[in-house]
Amino acid sequence: MTNERAKFGSRFGLILATAGSAVGLGNIWRFPYMAGNNGGAAFILVYIGCVLLLGIPCMISEFIIGREGASNTARAYTKLSNGTAWKYIGFMGVLTGFLIIGYYAVVAGWCLQYIFASAAGELQGDPKYVAGYFSEFSASPVKPVLWTVAILVITHLVVIRGVRGGIEKASKMFMPTLFVLLLGLVVASCNLPGSGAGVEFLLKPDFSKVDSGVFLGALGQAFYSLSIGMGCICTYASYFSRRTNLLNTAVHISLVDTMVAVLAGLMIFPSAFSVGIAPDSGPSLIFMTLPNVFQQAFTHLPLVGYIVSIVFYVLLSLAALTSLISLHEVCTAFFLEEFRISRLRGATFVTVIACVVGALCSLSLGHTDLQLTIFGKSVFDALDFVTGQILLPFGGFLTCLFLGWYVPKKIVKDQFTNWGTLRGALFGVYLFCVRFVCPICIMLIFLNQFGVI
Ligand code: PHE
C-alpha cells in the first residue's frame, strides 16, 4: 500500500478509543452482579489477578500482531503467519465481529428506546408493569428493529469519518461524558438512605465464596470485558504509532475498564439495596429491575429520579456505542483493504449486513412462529453464547499459541520494547504468560464452561 496508514492523533485519544471498545454492557450488566454474588472485594481481587495474568498479556499480544501487521485483522494474521493456517484466526475475528454486532446492536437499540421512554414518563408504574413493558417492547416486530438500525446508522456515521476524524474524535467526546455521568450517578446512588448495605454487598470481602468456578468465571469476564479474542484490539493497534508503549497502554486500558466496572457496581447496588430490591444481571437488570429501583429510590425527589433514569440510559447507550464502533471498524477495515473499496462503501456494506443480523436477532425474541432458532436457542441467545463463550476464548487461545510459539521471538521483542528503545524488563514475564499461563487458563475456562471440569 502506498498511502501511509491512518494513525491515532494522540496517546490520550488512542487510550480513550481502545478503552471505549472495552467499556461496554459487560461492565455494567454483568460485572457488578458477579462481584456482589461471589465474595465482593474478594472477587474483585481475583478479577484483578485475572486481568493482570491473562487480560494484559493477551491484549499486548493483539497489540503486537496489529502494529506489526499494520492492516486489518485478517491480513495482519496472514502476514505474520506467512500464509499458513494460523491466518484463519484473523478471519475468525472478522466473523466474530459480525456476530457480536448483531445482538449487541439490538441491546444498544433498547437503550435508546429507554432514553425516550424514561423521558416520556412511560417507565412509571409497579414492577409488574415495568417488566411487562419490556417483554412487550422487546418482542414487538417493528420498534426494536428500528432502534437497532438507528444505533447502527449512528455507528456508521462515526466509522465513515475514519480513524482520527471519526473513531478518535467520537471517543474523546463520549468517554469523558460517560465518566462524568457515571460519577454523578454513583454520588446520587450512594447518598440514598440505606445505601451503605449496597456498598457493603459489593465491597465486603468474603473469601469463602471464591472457589474454582468463581475463578474461572472471573477469567471469562475479564476476557469479554477487555474485548479480547476477536480483533478489535488488533485492528485499533494497527493505528498505533511506533512510539506507543504497548505494556503501558494495556495497563491503562485495563485500569479504566476495571474502574468503570466497579463504579457501575457502586451505581447499581446502593440504590437497589436502599429500596430493598435484589439486583440481577443481564437484560432483566437493566430493563426491568433498574427502572423500578430509580423510581422507588427517589420517590421524594421525583425530578431527580426522572433525571437519573434518563442519564442512566444515555450512559448505557454511550458505553454500547463505543464498543459497537470498534466492532464495526474490525469489519470495515477488512472490506476496505481486502476488496480495495472506499471506507464509505466498506462501512455501508458492514452496516447493511449488521442491520440484517440485528433484525434477525431482534425478531427471534418473541416471534416463535418465525422459527428463528439455532440449536434450540433464539438467534439472539445463540449469538451471545457462541461469541462470548466459544469464539472469544478460542480466538484468544489461538492468538497466544500463535504469538508465543510461532511468531519469531525477535519480532515480538522488538514490538514489546519499541525496537530496543524501552527497557522491556517485563518481557520475560510477558512471554511466559503468553506461552504457558494464558493458554492453560483459557483451556480451563473452556472446559469449565462445558462442564468437563
Ligand atoms: N468489551 C465489551 C463489553 O464489555 C464487549 C465487546 C467484546 C466489545 C468484544 C467488542 C469486542 O461490553
Side-chain angles (χ1 to χ4, degrees), residues 21-22 24-27 100 104 224-225 227 230 232 323 326-327 392:
S21 169
L25 298 167
N27 300 57
I100 301 183
Y104 212 85
Y224 182 81
S225 190
S227 307
M230 52 77 52
C232 276
S323 296
S326 71
L327 289 160
L392 291 185

Side-chain angles (χ1 to χ4, degrees), residues 6-9 12-21 154-175 232 235-236 239 321-330 332-333 336 343:
K7 294 268 179 285
F8 285 118
F12 183 61
L14 166 166
I15 289 187
L16 287 187
T18 318
S21 169
I154 300 175
T155 309
H156 176 88
L157 292 176
V158 173
V159 172
I160 55 171
R161 286 180 168 69
V163 176
R164 230 180 253 203
I167 299 172
E168 184 172 353
K169 208 163 158 193
S171 308
K172 277 183 172 165
M173 252 158 48
F174 297 156
M175 291 302 285
C232 276
T235 305
Y236 275 11
Y239 308 130
L321 180 60
T322 48
S323 296
L324 273 178
I325 291 171
S326 71
L327 289 160
H328 197 296
E329 177 64 17
V330 170
T332 300
L336 118 92
R343 176 167 274 274

Side-chain angles (χ1 to χ4, degrees), residues 48-64 223 226 228 233 246-247 250-251 254 396 399-400 403 412 416 426 429-435 437-439 442:
I48 291 174
C50 294
V51 168
L52 291 176
L53 208 74
L54 179 97
I56 293 180
C58 282
M59 189 178 274
I60 296 176
S61 305
E62 288 200 26
F63 280 166
I64 292 179
F223 220 75
L226 292 171
I228 292 165
I233 299 295
L246 300 185
L247 172 64
V251 170
S254 307
T399 297
C400 289
L403 200 90
V412 180
F416 191 91
L426 290 172
V429 179
Y430 159 73
L431 202 63
F432 181 75
C433 284
V434 172
R435 284 188 166 171
V437 181
C438 297
I442 300 171

Side-chain angles (χ1 to χ4, degrees), residues 20-220:
S21 169
V23 170
L25 298 167
N27 300 57
I28 298 169
W29 82 18
R30 224 159 78 100
F31 179 88
Y33 176 80
M34 289 185 89
N37 283 316
N38 293 318
F43 175 87
I44 296 178
L45 284 180
V46 173
Y47 180 80
I48 291 174
C50 294
V51 168
L52 291 176
L53 208 74
L54 179 97
I56 293 180
C58 282
M59 189 178 274
I60 296 176
S61 305
E62 288 200 26
F63 280 166
I64 292 179
I65 295 169
R67 190 166 69 169
E68 181 70 27
S71 42
N72 70 79
T73 307
R75 190 179 296 193
Y77 278 84
T78 306
K79 273 186 191 168
L80 281 165
S81 66
N82 301 313
T84 54
W86 291 106
K87 70 179 179 197
Y88 293 112
I89 312 173
F91 288 90
M92 194 173 92
V94 178
L95 176 72
T96 310
F98 271 118
L99 300 182
I100 301 183
I101 288 191
Y103 78 87
Y104 212 85
V106 172
V107 183
W110 294 343
C111 298
L112 286 188
Q113 152 78 17
Y114 267 58
I115 298 178
F116 291 95
S118 30
E122 284 173 21
L123 301 175
Q124 311 278 339
D126 61 17
K128 245 182 151 170
Y129 163 78
V130 176
Y133 180 94
F134 176 66
S135 311
E136 199 177 306
F137 160 69
S138 59
S140 62
V142 182
K143 244 182 168 184
V145 176
L146 290 181
W147 284 117
T148 304
V149 172
I151 193 93
L152 285 169
V153 168
I154 300 175
T155 309
H156 176 88
L157 292 176
V158 173
V159 172
I160 55 171
R161 286 180 168 69
V163 176
R164 230 180 253 203
I167 299 172
E168 184 172 353
K169 208 163 158 193
S171 308
K172 277 183 172 165
M173 252 158 48
F174 297 156
M175 291 302 285
T177 313
L178 184 147
F179 255 119
V180 172
L181 298 184
L182 183 60
L183 286 178
L185 292 185
V186 169
V187 171
S189 176
C190 289
N191 273 315
L192 289 166
S195 58
V199 178
E200 196 174 301
F201 179 67
L202 180 71
L203 296 180
K204 194 171 167 223
D206 178 359
F207 286 94
S208 67
K209 287 206 176 139
V210 179
D211 56 14
S212 63
V214 167
F215 187 78
L216 296 173
L219 274 178

